Amino acid sequence: QCGVAYDLQEYKIGQWAMAAPVFDRNSTVLAAASLILPPSRTDKNNIQHFASSLKNCVGELSTAIKQIS
């Protein structure tokens, strides 16, 4: 719904992860980009900053892929 999947130590204690899809020109998921953070370097209040940056990144990747495919 928000475009980012989160894992807040559910898979592995000591790491938070997030991932977002990269789309092709047909809006098909072509790949995903992810970010892994130790909880000691962030908190649940500012994790949205990282999610926003990740969404910007995959948006740029998707745009570039649409232009060449």
Side-chain angles (χ1 to χ4, degrees), residues 5-58:
Y6 296 92
D7 174 351
L8 304 178
Q9 299 191 80
E10 287 96 7
Y11 180 72
K12 185 173 183 181
I13 300 298
Q15 78 179 27
W16 287 356
M18 61 183 73
V22 178
F23 297 99
D24 67 10
R25 74 166 117 181
N26 299 317
S27 297
T28 301
V29 176
L30 183 64
S34 64
L35 180 63
I36 299 172
L37 302 160
S40 61
R41 304 279 296 190
T42 188
D43 59 39
K44 290 183 181 178
N45 293 323
N46 70 9
I47 200 166
Q48 292 305 316
H49 168 75
F50 292 106
S52 178
S53 296
L54 181 62
K55 289 196 308 188
N56 288 338
C57 177
V58 296

